[in-house]
Each structure stands twice: as C-alpha cells, then as structure tokens.
C-alpha cells in the first residue's frame, strides 16, 4: 500500500498558474498561514511550505504522528461514530443498521465486557491446555485460523500468483513473533534490550491477569521470548523482504512436505479448510524449515504456552479494562504514544475493518457524492491520456515496448470512491450482547471468504480498502489504482476546486 504524498500549498498554486487557472478560483484552497516565510524555499522547501502548520498542529497525545492524513482520519472517525450511534439506536431499520449497530452496541457495553472478564477465552485456553502431543499442536495451529482466534507460527493468505496473475494460490510466509520486527529480538542496543525486558514483563503480567501465579507466569514469559527469538533468527530482514524475486518460491505441496518432517502441509491445509491446492508459494522456505525443526525439538508444554499466549494477546484489546490498559502500557513502550485512543474510536475502526462494506454503504450515502466519484474518474482518465501521449513521444523506447506499454496503460483499473459490488457478509451472525463472539464471527467470515477464492479467477472488482479509508494505492499485480472516498476531500481533492488544485493534491 502506497501512501500519497501531501502536495504543498505553494506547489498547488504553481500548478494552478501553469494550468492557467484563475487565482480567484483557487484562493479558498490555498492557506498562506501554513507557510513559514522566515525559511528560504531554496534551503528547505518542506519547512517553508508547511512550517507554521507543523508548529500549530502538535502530535495529539493519543497519536504517534500527525499530518493531514491524521486530520482526515480523525474526521472520518467522527463520521463513523455518528453513523454507528445512529445504527445502534435504530437496529431494526435495515439489515445494515442491525448488524453495524448491534456490533457497535456490544463493543461499547463496557459493563458487560468487564463482567465477562476472561470468560470469552476460557474454552480456547482449556482446549489448548488439554493438548498432549505434537500432532495436536500442529492441528491447533491450523484450527485457530479457521475459528477467527489468531494466526500463530507462520503467515498465510490466498493471493495472486505474481507470475500467473489471473490465478489465486495459497501463500505461506514468516511470522510467529509479536514484536514489530526481527531486529527487536536480535539487536543488543540499549533500546532493543529495554524493549525485550518490557516484553517479558508484559507477557508475565498478562498471564497473571488470567489467574496464573507469579512464578509460572514468569516461566511462560521466558518460554515465549525464547521461542519467538528462534523464529526471528530465521526471518528475513526488512531489506530482504523488498526483493520480489527472493520471495517467489513455488513448490508442489507434496514436495515441500518432504523438507519438513513434522508438518504434512497437505493435511495442515485441510485443517485450515484449504482444499484442492497442488502448489503453494513460500516467501521464506528456510523459515518454515526452522519452524518445523522447532516443532520437533521443543517440548509440547512450551508450544501449549505459546498458543495460549496467541489467544490472550490477540484478544487483549477487547477484554476487560485491566487487559486493555496493560496492553496499552506495552504499546506505549513500543511507540511512544502517550494516551490510549478513545474507546469509541478504537471500536469504530474495528467495525470498519470487520464489516467495512456494510458501514461503507452508510458512509458514502451520507458523506460522498456520486458526482465526486465521476469527477475523480475523469481526472484519472485525463492522466491516462497524458501518459499515452508521453509514451508515444518517447525516443528511447522501442516500437514493441511502446505497444506493450500502451496495452498495459489501456488495461489500467480505476477504483474510485467505493466498490460497485458490495460484500453482503451473508451468514455472519452479530449479537448485541456478545462482543468477542462478534469479532470471531466476522473474522471467520473473512477467512472463509478468502479461502473461497481458491480455484476461481482473480476478481478484479474486489476492493481491499473500505470507503472511509484515508489512503490510496497502486497495485502492480492488478495494474490498478485505488482512491477511497475518505481520501477524496480537501486538501487532497475537492469537488469545488479547480482541476489544477486537485491534480496537485491527489497525484
């Protein structure tokens, strides 16, 4: 996902002049008060154009960074809050209102969540505690995904085959760790050492909150850190993960199983509800081989501890306040965030991620004009035409290459505002008084929706952003650009603005 660059007021003005726009038309969209004229543009143009805005807009205590993206995200959150409160107050109005409103009501019922305590996780923790052998450990690793609980040990998704882009294929990658990057486990600088120490305390405290004694909780924390460190040692670095050739390793399922004595990948995929897949892509084969070695070399009791930790940490933000606050305290260490995001904002974001096409319909109906979608589509189409002219006029590109480039350009997909094919979430059950169950039910639906793609042609109409999203992206595999409704507002886009302002702001 590529975040868009924020164009400065000065540059927008320059673009307007170049396009022969009338200054009067763009005056309302240029705010000279953001400019710090004490700085020479040639010395530091960014500070010149944005200096006063930065000075007058400090990072809020509940955020870790702040920009126009953050401002719009805050506005979008408030818009979602109003929609969800309205839906929660009138659940019988429509199916969309019923599902989003009941989910929000369950998420905001802090009294019920406090009273429930750890009970929503009890069955999962007891099932894991009853495990007696390695085969059951491996089976649970698959089962947890299908039940919407967590995704331990490795990464997995159904995605496009990057060398056969019309087809979906199961893809496996490194995972199994909690800290943001492998370097947090492996570096010995002061900050990394401190974070690992804080992580041990965090795990210990979370297990104590589940009812374990101090000694056993400390032991569990040591087991988890040791296991995750070994997994981190086998992970690729961030730089290595940028190499698409290195990440493309295609195997027949049975052939890859021969390299992992403990794991039969065909059987595990069946447990994960993935059927009729003869081939897989593995981004880091060494990682899965190391994970297989660890499965065989590590006591079953340690794996049980690891799996229980995955259940706890993935639910921590949705349990009673003591779990939420302890989870935030560790996040504070990692990010420097000073205050927890208000509950309503966290929950509106959760529902946007869980039932995005339902909440998205309410959002665009109230906040996004169809005319804006048409205007932005025209803007992108104009850019296509400009690129076509430039390609045709290039003197360094061969005729054959130009023809191929023009074919790709003509096939360029434009996703503007919102999807034309909303997901219905058929079969999802949302219960007004069962928060964790709602999270699980929507996660199960999302997982099954992903699995159902296998064996079907790639759906180029599918969106991977929800309408309120404050972002934009270009997908090389799909050759498409996405501008959700959320980003199509000032300062990136405004229906009333001159074209030059919108080209400068959104491109």
């Amino acid at each position: 996902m590529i975040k868009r660059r924020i164009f400065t007021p000065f540059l927008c003005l320059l673009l307007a002049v170049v396009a022969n726009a009338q200054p009067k038309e763009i005056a309302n969209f240029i705010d000279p008060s953001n400019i710090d004229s004490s700085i020479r543009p040639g010395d530091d143009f960014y500070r010149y154009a944005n200096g006063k805005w930065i000075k007058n807009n400090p990072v809020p205590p509940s955020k870790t960074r702040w920009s126009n993206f953050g401002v719009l995200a805050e506005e979008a959150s408030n818009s979602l809050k109003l929609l969800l409160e309205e839906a929660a107050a009138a659940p019988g109005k429509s199916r969309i209102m019923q599902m989003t409103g009941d989910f929000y009501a369950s998420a905001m019922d802090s009294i019920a969540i406090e009273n429930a305590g750890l009970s929503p996780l009890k069955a999962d923790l007891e099932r894991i505690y009853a495990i007696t052998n390695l085969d059951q450990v491996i089976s649970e690793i698959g089962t947890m995904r299908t039940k919407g609980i967590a995704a331990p040990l490795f990464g997995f998704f159904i995605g496009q085959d990057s060398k056969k882009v019309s087809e979906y294929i199961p893809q496996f990658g490194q995972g199994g760790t909690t800290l943001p990057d492998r370097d947090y486990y492996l570096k010995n600088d002061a900050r990394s050492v401190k974070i690992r120490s804080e992580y041990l305390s965090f795990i210990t405290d979370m297990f104590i909150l589940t009812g374990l004694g101090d000694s056993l909780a400390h032991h569990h924390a040591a087991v988890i850190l040791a296991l995750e460190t070994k997994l981190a040692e086998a992970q690729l670095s961030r730089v290595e993960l940028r190499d698409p050739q290195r990440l493309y390793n295609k195997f027949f399922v049975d052939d890859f199983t021969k390299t992992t004595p403990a794991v039969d990948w065909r059987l595990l995929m069946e447990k994960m509800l993935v059927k009729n897949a003869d081939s897989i892509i593995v981004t880091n084969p060494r990682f899965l081989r190391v994970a297989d070695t660890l499965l065989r070399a590590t006591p079953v009791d340690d794996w049980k501890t690891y799996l229980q930790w995955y259940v706890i940490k993935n639910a921590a933000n949705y349990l009673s306040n003591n779990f939420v606050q302890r989870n935030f305290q560790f996040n504070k260490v990692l990010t420097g965030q000073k205050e927890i995001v208000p509950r309503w904002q966290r929950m509106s974001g959760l529902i946007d991620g869980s039932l995005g096409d339902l909440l998205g319909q309410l959002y665009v109906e109230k906040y996004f004009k169809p005319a804006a979608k048409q205007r932005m589509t025209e803007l992108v189409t104009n850019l296509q035409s400009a690129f076509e002219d430039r390609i045709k006029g290039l003197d360094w590109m061969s005729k054959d290459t130009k023809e191929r480039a023009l074919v790709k350009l003509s096939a360029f997909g434009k996703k503007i505002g919102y999807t034309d094919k909303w997901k219905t979430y058929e079969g999802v059950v949302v219960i007004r008084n069962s928060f964790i169950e709602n999270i699980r039910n929507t996660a199960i639906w999302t997982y099954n929706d992903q699995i159902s793609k296998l064996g079907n042609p790639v759906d180029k109409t599918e969106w991977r952003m929800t309408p309120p999203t404050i972002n934009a992206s270009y997908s090389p595999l799909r050759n498409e650009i996405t501008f959700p409704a959320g980003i199509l507002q000032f300062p990136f886009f405004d229906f009333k603005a001159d074209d030059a302002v919108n080209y400068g702001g959104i491109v």
Side-chain angles (χ1 to χ4, degrees), residues 103 106 120-121 147-148 318 428-445:
F103 201 150
S106 73
L121 309 187
K147 292 183 178 293
Y318 314 120
V428 173
V429 177
V430 176
I431 305 167
R432 198 172 180 91
N433 60 357
S434 188
F435 180 41
I436 293 290
E437 193 170 352
N438 291 336
I439 294 173
R440 294 277 179 87
N441 288 345
T442 52
I444 290 169
W445 186 92

Side-chain angles (χ1 to χ4, degrees), residues 1-6 69 72 376 380 415-417 463-476 480-489 492-493 505-507:
M1 189 177 293
I2 303 170
K3 287 192 174 180
R4 313 307 301 166
R5 290 185 301 167
I6 301 170
F69 283 98
L72 291 187
M376 184 63 192
V380 176
K415 292 181 175 175
I416 309 297
W463 277 58
R464 288 177 286 182
M465 293 186 191
T466 64
T469 303
I470 312 299
N471 209 340
S473 69
Y474 171 73
S475 169
E480 66 182 25
I481 198 163
T482 304
F483 287 106
I487 196 71
L488 296 179
Q489 52 187 316
F492 303 109
F493 176 86
I506 203 68
V507 175

Side-chain angles (χ1 to χ4, degrees), residues 8-14 16 23 26-35 490 501:
T8 64
F10 179 83
L11 189 50
C12 288
L13 182 59
L14 179 61
I26 65 170
N28 292 334
F29 304 98
I30 303 296
D31 187 356
S33 67
N34 291 330
I35 295 174
F490 185 79
V501 174

Side-chain angles (χ1 to χ4, degrees), residues 357-489:
D357 274 22
L358 297 187
L359 186 55
Q361 289 178 64
L362 300 178
Y363 180 86
V364 298
E365 182 181 355
K366 189 163 186 176
Y367 299 111
F368 191 70
K369 298 176 181 178
K373 180 172 182 170
Q374 182 180 349
R375 173 86 177 274
M376 184 63 192
T377 302
E378 291 171 355
L379 185 151
V380 176
T381 301
N382 290 341
L383 286 175
Q384 275 184 284
S385 297
F387 278 127
E388 180 180 354
D389 290 341
R390 290 189 66 182
I391 290 170
K392 289 178 178 178
L394 293 174
D395 56 7
W396 55 267
M397 190 178 283
S398 70
K399 181 180 178 182
D400 288 345
T401 304
K402 283 184 182 181
E403 288 176 357
R404 294 179 67 181
L406 291 170
V407 168
K408 182 173 182 178
L409 182 65
S410 67
F412 186 75
K414 298 184 283 287
K415 292 181 175 175
I416 309 297
Y418 52 88
T419 180
D420 295 316
K421 191 171 79 174
W422 298 102
K423 294 177 181 177
T424 63
Y425 304 92
E426 199 64 42
V428 173
V429 177
V430 176
I431 305 167
R432 198 172 180 91
N433 60 357
S434 188
F435 180 41
I436 293 290
E437 193 170 352
N438 291 336
I439 294 173
R440 294 277 179 87
N441 288 345
T442 52
I444 290 169
W445 186 92
T446 300
Y447 181 82
N448 289 334
D449 181 57
Q450 180 185 185
I451 296 303
S452 70
K453 296 175 183 177
L454 199 60
N456 295 314
V458 169
D459 182 4
K460 291 189 175 182
T461 68
E462 182 185 30
W463 277 58
R464 288 177 286 182
M465 293 186 191
T466 64
T469 303
I470 312 299
N471 209 340
S473 69
Y474 171 73
S475 169
L477 286 182
R478 296 190 177 214
N479 188 32
E480 66 182 25
I481 198 163
T482 304
F483 287 106
I487 196 71
L488 296 179
Q489 52 187 316

Side-chain angles (χ1 to χ4, degrees), residues 243-370:
D243 182 353
Q245 299 300 326
R246 182 169 189 164
L247 302 184
Y248 189 89
N249 305 283
K250 195 170 185 178
F251 297 90
F252 286 116
V253 176
D254 294 336
D255 287 345
F256 192 69
T257 292
K258 293 174 184 176
T259 70
T260 57
V263 181
D264 184 322
W265 290 95
R266 189 171 296 281
L267 291 178
L268 180 55
M269 283 197 292
E270 286 179 7
K271 181 64 66 174
M272 295 165 59
L273 308 181
V274 181
K275 299 177 181 178
N276 303 319
D278 292 325
S279 300
I280 57 176
I281 291 174
V282 182
T283 57
N284 183 356
R286 177 176 173 269
F287 175 85
L288 292 185
R289 289 193 289 268
V290 169
D292 182 87
T293 300
L294 286 173
L295 282 167
R296 290 179 282 122
T298 305
V300 168
D301 281 349
D302 288 356
W303 283 114
K304 288 162 62 174
T305 297
Y306 173 82
L307 293 177
Q308 286 181 322
W309 170 237
Y310 255 76
V311 172
I312 295 163
K313 74 169 185 175
N314 280 278
N317 230 10
Y318 314 120
L319 296 173
S320 51
N321 191 54
N322 49 1
F323 283 94
V324 172
Q325 289 299 325
R326 187 60 185 92
N327 190 66
F328 171 68
Q329 289 303 315
F330 181 62
N331 185 60
K332 194 174 179 180
V333 172
L334 285 176
T335 67
Q337 183 178 334
K338 296 175 183 177
E339 293 180 5
I340 194 168
V341 174
R343 183 174 189 85
W344 66 263
Q345 197 166 38
R346 287 182 280 127
M347 297 306 109
S348 62
L350 171 68
I351 297 169
D352 183 36
S354 302
L355 296 173
D357 274 22
L358 297 187
L359 186 55
Q361 289 178 64
L362 300 178
Y363 180 86
V364 298
E365 182 181 355
K366 189 163 186 176
Y367 299 111
F368 191 70
K369 298 176 181 178

